[in-house]
Amino acid sequence: MSDNPSDEKVHGYAIRQSIVFENDRGFALAENPNAPQPFVTWQFTENEGGRREFYWGHYTQSADSAAKDFETRAAEYQKDYGVSEKSARSAPDVYKYYSTQRPVDIGTFPKTENGPAEIVNFDQRESVENGKFQAWGYLLYRAPLTEKQMADYELRAAPGNPDRFRLTTEQLEQQAQVVGKWEQAKHIPDVKRLTWWYPDFGVFVKNELISDADLSKRYEKVMESKTRSTRKIPIAERLKEGADQAVKDNAARPTPAKNTEKDR
């Protein structure tokens, strides 16, 4: 969390603490001793010039309640959308790609005029990007790789790469349909939805308060969920599961009684 007491005031409230994420969304804690409810937490949107638009205020008379609400809102948002604080975002001219299937070695990555500028291998396969997936290491390039290059070498782009959010209108519209149908099926509350149903055209559209980055990240989560649900279980794995179940079934069967002289 970022502590930044300043002279900035919003509706008479002085900002005491704030945090802004890589998608230019954030939360602020503010105080106005003369107000009936002197403490408030807001969500805000930050534009390219650093100007913030505040909304969804939670007002209270308790400083402790406001501080707890600030921490909770920021933590829940970060968990729901998988975003990091803005200061942690990669430099604009650096593109990171994770090697998810093997350690980085000769022949396991594309060589281009833009890199790799740096190669990092982990000691073992580790969880990365706040536990979203696992990787053996990563490579840094000065320009983005193509989808084919990533597919050929089984690399995965870091979510914070600059090019991940530069989508065409057609791509955004397609993502809005996927996310909208998922939100509808999951009965996501309106306050947490990233899309709205537009009955005039019979399509889902992106909420105007939501950035392209927000939509793309939820789209990726939806697609990952679909991939996991449709993953085919390898034959060897199915055979092993069958063998294990057979052992359990045999162990559960009662042992047959032995014949005795009296039974004959």
Side-chain angles (χ1 to χ4, degrees), residues 1 17-19 27-29 41 66-74:
M1 298 296 174
Q17 195 173 2
S18 69
I19 180 173
F27 295 87
L29 170 63
T41 65
K68 183 177 180 180
D69 185 63
F70 173 74
E71 296 282 346
T72 299
R73 294 182 75 178

Side-chain angles (χ1 to χ4, degrees), residues 97-99 102-112 114-121 137-141 145 148-156:
Y97 297 90
Y98 290 100
S99 180
R102 60 191 65 83
V104 183
D105 204 346
I106 297 175
T108 64
F109 59 88
K111 294 182 179 180
T112 74
N114 294 299
E118 184 178 349
I119 296 175
V120 176
N121 268 318
Y138 63 84
L139 308 99
L140 299 180
Y141 289 81
L145 297 178
K148 185 177 186 306
Q149 287 172 323
M150 287 189 287
D152 287 346
Y153 292 94
E154 296 181 295
L155 301 177
R156 181 164 178 170

Side-chain angles (χ1 to χ4, degrees), residues 5 18 23 49-50 70 72 110 132 144 149-150 166 173 180 191 194 207 220 224 257 263:
S18 69
N23 60 356
F70 173 74
T72 299
K132 290 181 181 178
Q149 287 172 323
M150 287 189 287
R166 295 172 188 167
E173 290 176 351
V191 295
L194 305 190
N207 184 338
E220 289 182 0
E224 287 176 4
D263 295 329

Side-chain angles (χ1 to χ4, degrees), residues 176 179-181 183 193-197 204-207 215:
V179 172
K181 291 177 181 177
E183 290 177 333
R193 288 182 65 103
L194 305 190
T195 64
W196 305 117
W197 175 250
F204 289 98
V205 296
K206 181 173 72 72
N207 184 338
L215 181 67

Side-chain angles (χ1 to χ4, degrees), residues 46-137:
E46 185 176 80
N47 63 24
E48 293 181 358
R51 179 182 174 81
R52 294 177 175 180
E53 298 292 336
F54 294 84
Y55 50 92
W56 288 345
H58 293 179
Y59 294 83
T60 179
Q61 294 179 340
S62 168
D64 290 341
S65 295
K68 183 177 180 180
D69 185 63
F70 173 74
E71 296 282 346
T72 299
R73 294 182 75 178
E76 288 181 350
Y77 186 90
Q78 188 170 21
K79 179 180 178 182
D80 289 344
Y81 297 101
V83 290
S84 302
E85 287 191 53
K86 198 170 185 178
S87 59
R89 187 169 180 171
S90 301
D93 58 346
V94 175
Y95 298 78
K96 178 187 287 187
Y97 297 90
Y98 290 100
S99 180
T100 60
Q101 303 302 313
R102 60 191 65 83
V104 183
D105 204 346
I106 297 175
T108 64
F109 59 88
K111 294 182 179 180
T112 74
E113 61 182 6
N114 294 299
E118 184 178 349
I119 296 175
V120 176
N121 268 318
F122 305 145
D123 293 334
Q124 58 186 7
R125 200 179 190 198
E126 298 180 1
S127 294
V128 295
E129 298 295 335
N130 295 320
K132 290 181 181 178
F133 54 93
Q134 292 189 319
W136 290 96

